[in-house]
Amino acid sequence: MSSPATIYGVGLGPGDPELMSVKAARLIASAGVVAHFRKSGRPGNARTVVDGMLAPGVIEEALEYPVTTEIALDDPAYGDALRLFYDDCVRRLLRHVADGRDVAVLCEGDPFLYGSFMHLHSRISGRAPVVVVPGISGMSGCWTASGVPITFGDDVLTVIPATLDDATLREKLQSIDALVVMKLGRHLPKVRRALRDAGLAERAIYVERGTMAGEKVLRLADKSDDEAPYFSMILVHGRGRRP
């Protein structure tokens, strides 16, 4: 008796194809269906990472976000649009499973770390076999690109999404050892102000497209503009005990 078709959430790692796991590469190369998230009209970074790896005749499912930054995160319309979107994505993927085709859903970084696949996973569980393949996180790629360990000794690492409102962001920054600020993009000015208020701006490192082509690493204080792509982060390295 053959095994039932499976949906795989495949972590691609931080962007450099050579940092993908052997298991991830094997599943991508053998999948009958490859699904990937993207902004409407864009090729999508996840799909770009796997160029040249897909099997001949593979079926591609481009999962195009209905909104990205057009609606504020706290607007009920934003949540409503994404709920309908994720429901539709699951219906599309389950049709392939019903036809006996394995599906590899491409996930930048690690599927269970701030990734869109989490919203599919909760909807798929119990309805079809689902397997998650971990990947090197984007933040790991960025702090490695900085050339300095992010934590030392007993440092506590804090991870903060830049999408938080100003007051919450300032509150979270009041007591940190080591810090990663994710989802930077258009939120850079707000994050820069919060870091200054917390006395962390001089320690902050800006990393853009870590491990990818066009990688940039510089002190935030040396960054003269407030432009940042989605694939950028701010790091504050720890200062814990060192042997």
Side-chain angles (χ1 to χ4, degrees), residues 173-202:
L173 292 179
Q174 290 309 304
S175 178
I176 64 105
D177 296 326
L179 173 70
V180 175
V181 182
M182 300 181 62
K183 302 185 179 181
L184 197 55
R186 63 194 176 95
H187 301 286
L188 176 56
K190 173 181 65 178
V191 174
R192 194 195 292 265
R193 290 193 301 270
L195 288 166
R196 286 172 180 161
D197 291 346
L200 298 169
E202 289 302 311

Side-chain angles (χ1 to χ4, degrees), residues 14 16 29-30 36 42-44 64 79 93 98 100 103 110 130 134 137 150 156 162-163 165 193 206-207 209 215 223:
D16 181 348
S30 63
H36 50 93
R42 303 282 184 86
E64 295 192 343
L93 301 186
V103 180
D110 182 276
V130 58
S137 68
I150 192 66
V156 175
T163 50
D165 62 75
R193 290 193 301 270
Y206 171 82
V207 182
R209 300 186 182 281
E215 174 185 283
K223 184 170 171 55

Side-chain angles (χ1 to χ4, degrees), residues 151-232:
T151 54
F152 294 88
D154 52 3
D155 281 329
V156 175
L157 174 63
T158 300
V159 180
I160 296 177
T163 50
L164 295 175
D165 62 75
D166 291 79
T168 305
L169 190 59
R170 287 189 174 92
E171 178 187 349
K172 298 293 185 184
L173 292 179
Q174 290 309 304
S175 178
I176 64 105
D177 296 326
L179 173 70
V180 175
V181 182
M182 300 181 62
K183 302 185 179 181
L184 197 55
R186 63 194 176 95
H187 301 286
L188 176 56
K190 173 181 65 178
V191 174
R192 194 195 292 265
R193 290 193 301 270
L195 288 166
R196 286 172 180 161
D197 291 346
L200 298 169
E202 289 302 311
R203 290 172 55 193
I205 302 296
Y206 171 82
V207 182
E208 180 176 309
R209 300 186 182 281
T211 80
M212 306 180 213
E215 174 185 283
K216 295 180 182 178
V217 181
L218 67 156
R219 295 175 63 246
L220 182 61
D222 295 334
K223 184 170 171 55
S224 59
D225 60 60
D226 283 328
E227 299 297 319
Y230 178 80
F231 293 102
S232 58

